[in-house]
Amino acid sequence: MNTKIPILYTIILYICAFVLFLEWLYPINVVGDVNNLTVFILFTLFCFFISILQLHWLLSMSLKGIGLIFIIDSLFLTGTPLSKPWVTQLFTEIGYNLNALFSEQWYELTPLFRSVLFLILIWLMSYLLQYWFIVMKRIFLFILLTFIYLTVLDTFTVYDADMAIVRTFVVSFIALGMTSLFKEIDQEEIRFSWMKKQTVWIVPLVLVVMFSTLVGYAAPKFDPQWPDPVPFIKSAADNAGGPGDGSSVIQKVGYGNDDTRLGGSFVQDNTPVFQAVAEDKNYWRVETKDIYTGKGWVKSQNLSYSRQNPDNFALETFADSVETEEFEAEVNFQGDSGMEKLIYPYGIEEVTAEKDDVNYLLESGSGEIRTEIDDEGVKLNHYSIMYDKPTFAINKLRNASMEDPSFIDERYTQLPDSLPGRVGDLAKQITSDKDNRYDKAQAVESYFNSNGFVYQTTNVPIPDKGEDYVAQFLFDSKAGYCDNFSTSMVVLLRTLDIPARWVKGFTGGEQVGSTDNGKNVYEITNSNAHSWVEVYFPEIGWVPFEPTQGFSNLSDFELNLDNETATRGTEQSTGSDSQQQQQQRQPEPIGPQQQQNDAGTSAGNSTAGSNVNWWSVLLISAVVLLAAYIIYRTRLHWQTLFVMLKYNSKSDAKTYQEAYHLLLKVLEKNGLSKKPDQTLREYSQRIDYRFQTDAMGRLTSHYERILYKNETDNKEAAELNQLWKYLIKRVKA
């Protein structure tokens, strides 16, 4: 009979398996598109905890299933769990995703369905790791795969696996040492009594792991013996896969510089770019582009950069007559996410950076501000900005002149000759009843909030060779993200000879805290990269407009500056009174200039993910864990009931052996365990003497006949059943 390994050592092995599996999860938050990795880690912990308890498979599956449903309900579903609307919504999601799955429309799979698949994968891995680590004690293959996985990610993605590999090495060494020891124990080559002396094996194992880790860390390392393959693979990938029209490319959201070919789908990336400390949300402007090519945007030639005084920037996007209020903001970039350009709010006046020798070069036409030291581009990780935030008077915008300076009219009403005439016809139709520039701009802006247009990030087409980007969006697809909406508004206004330009930057981000002096802290991620529109008003300047569905204009507008009771904020907004204006979606990208999508699982593109009540999650988790603990402590009672029911219905040899083994567990639980040097017969005599009966001897005799002679006696089945129940009750009494 194999020696039983104490639960303490089994738990240690489970912990090693859990830590190694976490190394598979951590990179997903960097290379994939996961908003709620913490939720998946908590579910992983829950699954491993249930596995440690070694509950019956039916109970274990039920608890893990309840945990999965709770997470999906918290992140994605609305209504009371298991209610009719809740079930209807769930089955609608499942039906839609199964249809997309069988039709091979992989990018149509919703975040809910992908999250369910990911949770099921975690569920299955908890079983597999239990089998590999505890039952078979063959873990080398999993450890080898973990090292390969981490090294590949470290080489070909932005994930830094240095510490992950060290952690994996330490945990793997411990796990391998323990499993090797347990194999020896199972083969009875080492007596269990020796194992009780923990220092005999724990101390050498820990010392070997520590020594090996220190040697590996401190030892000199060779330089790379082969050139980095990543640049070659990237360059090959850029020219691979089809005719080169980019129609099948899926990009990852984020700020980029190449806007010459817009369109195509993208995946979200919530990697933080910078944090902003400010009174309120702002547009974070980077630059504008003025030449529309029919496929995308480029800048005018012969750009001129002028050096700026950091105490007084000469960038003017609006006139001095515009009402302003002075504010200060701080920008703190995360990690190596800085840019060799300033990211700034409207009305920038003064910049104070961490480096005093920075030169600021302004291109006044595009508003781009480069940062350089000794003629070399430099990334500023931290700087503060003084700015005069404008408030635009709607009455003055309506009364603004329609006569533009010649340099404005020539540069910002440019359109390609290939633009279809129906685009201009549509613009005239939209603004036919408007008599001023502001109302015309607002009419075009509002047009996109109805008329069949939808905001979406998947299945967004890229125009064919002879097709115009704006015309395709306006008349064919009517589906897209910020690039589609903003570019279309600029082009429609230009057909009316209204100067407009395309602006790139970031939206305000999500508030993540506040400072002691009352300012808010906003986190801006790659998903906040955005494009919007600026329209020129003589004697006022460039005014922001927001045509993208679901987004609100972050600039301030007032009905009438001459009235004391002015309506501030975003009244102008997107010009629509629909409820979509109140539902700010997750900010979207500056489309196709981003890198190829790294495969990942989206757990939270739905805004429901941000509404999780974590106190409720913790409370319910605590209740579930308490219930699991109670079940674990009383598991022998439930096992007894289960075996009793099974034994009543079946009297075969296998069931009898299961019942006999359970009897041994019950005896051990009640302080009557079998001593290592006792035979089963000696042990049964001791139990019979203890309870003044012969039941244990008869049960043991029948067990030995089944075990060694494969003999069964159906005539004795009913009597043995009664003896077994009698002894169980006596022991528990």
Side-chain angles (χ1 to χ4, degrees):
M1 181 181 295
N2 288 345
T3 307
K4 182 180 177 181
I5 300 172
I7 187 65
L8 172 63
Y9 307 127
T10 302
I11 291 175
I12 294 175
L13 263 186
Y14 269 121
I15 293 174
C16 291
F18 175 72
V19 173
L20 288 177
F21 186 60
L22 287 184
E23 298 299 344
W24 288 73
L25 295 182
Y26 290 144
I28 297 175
N29 202 34
V30 178
V31 302
D33 184 26
V34 178
N35 291 344
N36 295 288
L37 183 62
T38 304
V39 174
F40 294 107
I41 292 177
L42 289 175
F43 183 73
T44 304
L45 178 62
F46 175 72
C47 288
F48 274 77
F49 178 76
I50 296 299
S51 297
I52 287 178
L53 298 181
Q54 297 182 3
L55 304 175
H56 188 268
W57 67 269
L58 188 59
L59 179 59
S60 174
M61 181 177 293
S62 300
L63 289 174
K64 292 178 182 179
I66 292 172
L68 187 150
I69 293 174
F70 171 75
I71 290 175
I72 296 302
D73 174 69
S74 300
L75 293 178
F76 301 105
L77 299 178
T78 58
T80 305
L82 302 181
S83 64
K84 186 175 180 180
W86 188 91
V87 173
T88 301
Q89 182 183 0
L90 179 62
F91 277 95
T92 301
E93 284 270 356
I94 293 174
Y96 171 81
N97 284 280
L98 288 177
N99 182 60
L101 193 64
F102 290 123
S103 60
E104 299 183 2
Q105 299 294 323
W106 313 118
Y107 289 101
E108 288 295 319
L109 298 179
T110 64
L112 182 149
F113 190 73
R114 283 179 282 170
S115 297
V116 169
L117 294 180
F118 194 39
L119 290 169
I120 292 176
L121 176 63
I122 293 174
W123 182 342
L124 295 176
M125 284 303 300
S126 68
Y127 284 117
L128 286 175
L129 291 178
Q130 176 190 6
Y131 180 76
W132 289 340
F133 276 69
I134 306 304
V135 179
M136 298 302 296
K137 300 178 185 64
R138 295 178 179 176
I139 65 174
F140 180 76
L141 178 60
F142 181 73
I143 290 173
L144 179 62
L145 291 175
T146 303
F147 276 111
I148 294 174
Y149 171 74
L150 292 175
T151 51
V152 169
L153 288 181
D154 186 72
T155 303
F156 296 102
T157 72
V158 296
Y159 182 66
D160 184 0
D162 290 350
M163 291 307 301
I165 291 176
V166 173
R167 291 193 300 266
T168 302
F169 173 80
V170 173
V171 174
S172 300
F173 217 140
I174 293 173
L176 286 169
M178 292 182 63
T179 52
S180 297
L181 178 65
F182 293 164
K183 285 180 182 179
E184 296 297 326
I185 294 171
D186 283 343
Q187 295 171 6
E188 297 184 355
E189 295 180 15
I190 299 177
R191 293 182 60 84
F192 177 70
S193 57
W194 175 87
M195 186 182 172
K196 290 182 178 179
K197 300 178 181 179
Q198 298 181 8
T199 54
V200 174
W201 66 276
I202 290 181
V203 172
L205 180 60
V206 171
L207 290 177
V208 168
V209 171
M210 291 179 61
F211 177 75
S212 302
T213 304
L214 290 174
V215 169
Y217 183 80
K221 288 118 178 131
F222 286 108
D223 292 331
Q225 301 298 302
W226 296 280
D228 187 357
V230 176
F232 170 77
I233 293 174
K234 284 185 175 180
S235 63
D238 289 340
N239 300 310
D245 61 359
S247 59
S248 63
V249 174
I250 304 296
Q251 291 103 159
K252 180 180 284 188
V253 60
Y255 190 90
N257 294 311
D258 183 7
D259 305 299
T260 56
R261 190 166 179 81
L262 300 178
S265 304
F266 71 84
V267 295
Q268 292 286 5
D269 178 12
N270 293 294
T271 304
V273 178
F274 65 95
Q275 284 192 343
V277 181
E279 266 80 8
D280 203 353
K281 287 187 176 182
N282 294 288
Y283 278 126
W284 293 96
R285 202 169 181 266
V286 179
E287 61 184 329
T288 67
K289 294 190 176 181
D290 56 348
I291 297 181
Y292 175 66
T293 65
K295 302 295 183 184
W297 290 96
V298 296
K299 292 181 182 178
S300 297
Q301 299 297 319
N302 302 320
L303 299 179
S304 177
Y305 289 86
S306 60
R307 185 169 175 176
Q308 298 293 300
N309 179 355
D311 297 330
N312 186 18
F313 277 78
L315 177 62
E316 296 182 359
T317 57
F318 50 85
D320 293 339
S321 59
V322 175
E323 189 79 11
T324 61
E325 186 175 0
E326 187 177 67
F327 291 106
E328 181 179 8
E330 294 182 16
V331 175
N332 298 285
F333 281 90
Q334 309 294 301
D336 191 34
S337 59
M339 301 171 61
E340 295 177 1
K341 304 176 184 179
L342 277 188
I343 298 177
Y344 57 90
Y346 280 96
I348 178 174
E349 288 289 334
E350 180 182 333
V351 174
T352 303
E354 56 187 0
K355 301 176 182 179
D356 297 331
D357 54 347
V358 179
N359 293 323
Y360 302 93
L361 303 178
L362 167 66
E363 206 293 306
S364 58
S366 65
E368 178 185 2
I369 303 175
R370 293 183 179 177
T371 52
E372 296 183 354
I373 295 179
D374 297 331
D375 298 326
E376 294 287 339
V378 63
K379 296 179 180 180
L380 301 181
N381 294 323
H382 170 78
Y383 52 89
S384 60
I385 302 174
M386 298 295 297
Y387 64 101
D388 294 329
K389 185 173 184 178
T391 300
F392 299 100
I394 295 177
N395 61 315
K396 293 182 179 180
L397 294 173
R398 285 197 170 109
N399 296 326
S401 169
M402 301 284 281
E403 299 296 327
D404 301 302
S406 59
F407 73 92
I408 291 289
D409 184 66
E410 291 174 2
R411 182 172 181 177
Y412 297 107
T413 58
Q414 169 275 336
L415 289 170
D417 295 335
S418 60
L419 183 73
R422 57 179 178 164
V423 176
D425 295 338
L426 177 62
K428 292 177 182 178
Q429 178 186 337
I430 295 171
T431 61
S432 60
D433 60 342
K434 309 301 179 184
D435 61 358
N436 63 80
R437 181 167 294 183
Y438 174 77
D439 286 341
K440 288 183 178 183
Q442 191 179 50
V444 173
E445 181 188 57
S446 302
Y447 177 75
F448 298 105
N449 290 297
S450 54
N451 301 294
F453 290 91
V454 295
Y455 174 93
Q456 69 182 45
T457 60
T458 58
N459 287 338
V460 178
I462 295 177
D464 294 331
K465 185 175 181 180
E467 192 174 17
D468 184 85
Y469 174 70
V470 167
Q472 181 197 57
F473 174 67
L474 291 175
F475 304 108
D476 298 331
S477 69
K478 290 192 173 184
Y481 41 89
C482 63
D483 289 352
N484 301 88
F485 289 92
S486 57
T487 300
S488 297
M489 180 174 177
V490 171
V491 171
L492 286 168
L493 291 175
R494 287 186 176 188
T495 64
L496 302 172
D497 292 326
I498 297 176
R501 62 188 182 186
W502 191 68
V503 197
K504 295 174 56 180
F506 294 85
T507 56
E510 180 181 357
Q511 184 177 344
V512 294
S514 59
T515 62
D516 294 337
N517 59 1
K519 291 186 178 181
N520 298 320
V521 179
Y522 300 96
E523 184 173 76
I524 290 85
T525 69
N526 279 327
S527 292
N528 294 115
H530 189 53
S531 63
W532 61 98
V533 177
E534 289 178 355
V535 180
Y536 184 78
F537 290 81
E539 300 179 358
I540 295 175
W542 293 98
V543 178
F545 283 79
E546 182 56 83
T548 304
Q549 269 197 16
F551 283 75
S552 294
N553 197 325
L554 297 180
S555 299
D556 285 347
F557 291 81
E558 291 185 352
L559 285 174
N560 193 332
L561 279 177
D562 297 329
N563 296 334
E564 292 183 3
T565 57
T567 304
R568 294 189 61 102
T570 59
E571 179 197 315
Q572 186 252 354
S573 188
T574 60
S576 171
D577 56 356
S578 69
Q579 291 183 353
Q580 289 177 335
Q581 300 305 316
Q582 306 301 325
Q583 299 172 351
Q584 179 148 352
R585 303 189 187 182
Q586 190 176 29
E588 72 279 19
I590 302 295
Q593 62 271 23
Q594 284 73 34
Q595 63 204 34
Q596 282 294 111
N597 168 30
D598 293 315
T601 303
S602 175
N605 289 348
S606 168
T607 54
S610 61
N611 296 326
V612 177
N613 188 329
W614 287 108
W615 285 111
S616 299
V617 172
L618 292 175
L619 179 61
I620 294 175
S621 300
V623 171
V624 171
L625 290 176
L626 179 61
Y629 177 74
I630 293 174
I631 292 172
Y632 171 72
R633 296 295 296 178
T634 59
R635 67 189 185 283
L636 212 53
H637 173 73
W638 302 109
Q639 283 182 290
T640 303
L641 290 178
F642 177 77
V643 173
M644 188 175 294
L645 292 174
K646 186 176 180 180
Y647 195 18
N648 288 337
S649 60
K650 295 176 66 176
S651 58
D652 57 4
K654 182 179 179 181
T655 304
Y656 182 81
Q657 291 181 72
E658 186 177 348
Y660 186 82
H661 291 155
L662 178 64
L663 176 59
L664 296 179
K665 289 183 180 179
V666 173
L667 289 166
E668 181 180 356
K669 180 71 174 177
N670 287 271
L672 296 170
S673 60
K674 175 179 170 294
K675 296 179 181 179
D677 56 350
Q678 277 185 323
T679 64
L680 275 178
R681 292 191 180 185
E682 292 172 342
Y683 177 59
S684 63
Q685 291 174 3
R686 174 184 156 208
I687 298 302
D688 284 338
Y689 179 79
R690 170 69 173 77
F691 293 103
Q692 295 298 305
T693 180
D694 64 346
M696 188 64 184
R698 295 179 63 183
L699 291 171
T700 300
S701 176
H702 188 70
Y703 173 77
E704 289 180 335
R705 292 204 306 273
I706 292 175
L707 190 63
Y708 299 115
K709 298 181 180 180
N710 198 25
E711 294 180 1
T712 57
D713 189 348
N714 293 330
K715 297 180 180 179
E716 292 184 308
E719 185 179 358
L720 292 171
N721 191 333
Q722 294 300 318
L723 289 174
W724 180 82
K725 291 179 182 178
Y726 165 77
L727 201 52
I728 288 283
K729 291 178 181 178
R730 287 291 305 273
V731 174
K732 287 184 164 186

